[in-house]
Amino acid sequence: NLARALPDGSVVALYGDLGAGKTAFVRGMARALGIEARVSSPTFTIVNEYAGGGRELLHFDMYRLGGAEELFDIGWDDYLARGAVCAVEWSENVEDAFDGSEVRVTLRKLSDTLREIEIAFDSEEDSGEC
């Protein structure tokens, strides 16, 4: 439901420990956007690009970056200018790059089969939990 409601140009900042399900969440976003490509973690490539259903999804993994400056060095502004939905794993490593309009998604692993997902928008009134 979240992905279908996102306008183009949205940034989804994902937070959660290793194995919390961030890539699986992005996989679900891609399906909801009409993208049929196989979604995998871009840990070593930094960004994977997907398109389908008239939408574009840019999937970032900031685990290996040392900060927002490195993100800008790889062309963050250019990626944003494309107007795609951007999903950013390990967002805590590049928080200075965000302008406050991003959707914050925090995933917590409660067990091998159970996750808690908290979704927060740019205002407290819009925040919700699933």
Side-chain angles (χ1 to χ4, degrees):
N1 289 336
L2 171 68
R4 280 190 285 275
L6 289 173
D8 289 337
S10 296
V11 174
V12 178
L14 298 157
Y15 298 85
D17 292 333
L18 192 63
K22 296 179 294 295
T23 299
F25 190 88
V26 175
R27 198 171 291 127
M29 287 179 58
R31 275 195 308 266
L33 292 172
I35 296 169
E36 296 180 13
R38 183 180 179 277
V39 173
S40 61
S41 176
T43 299
F44 295 102
T45 59
I46 308 298
V47 62
N48 287 338
E49 302 181 23
Y50 305 101
R55 306 287 302 269
E56 185 178 22
L57 174 66
L58 302 177
H59 180 198
F60 294 85
D61 188 321
M62 302 301 146
Y63 185 76
R64 298 167 52 91
L65 294 189
E69 185 174 313
E70 290 181 33
L71 178 57
F72 285 106
D73 287 346
I74 65 166
W76 177 243
D77 289 326
D78 294 329
Y79 284 115
L80 292 178
R82 289 169 55 176
V85 173
C86 296
V88 183
E89 294 190 35
W90 298 101
S91 291
E92 54 271 31
N93 291 349
V94 295
E95 282 189 321
D96 293 347
F98 300 139
D99 65 7
S101 65
E102 69 280 353
V103 177
R104 295 175 57 94
V105 176
T106 304
L107 296 102
R108 293 177 193 87
K109 184 177 180 178
L110 303 178
S111 71
D112 285 344
T113 59
L114 185 63
R115 304 293 188 272
E116 177 182 76
I117 301 171
E118 180 181 335
I119 300 172
F121 299 88
D122 60 350
S123 73
E124 287 299 316
E125 294 172 12
D126 292 335
S127 293
E129 291 188 22
C130 305

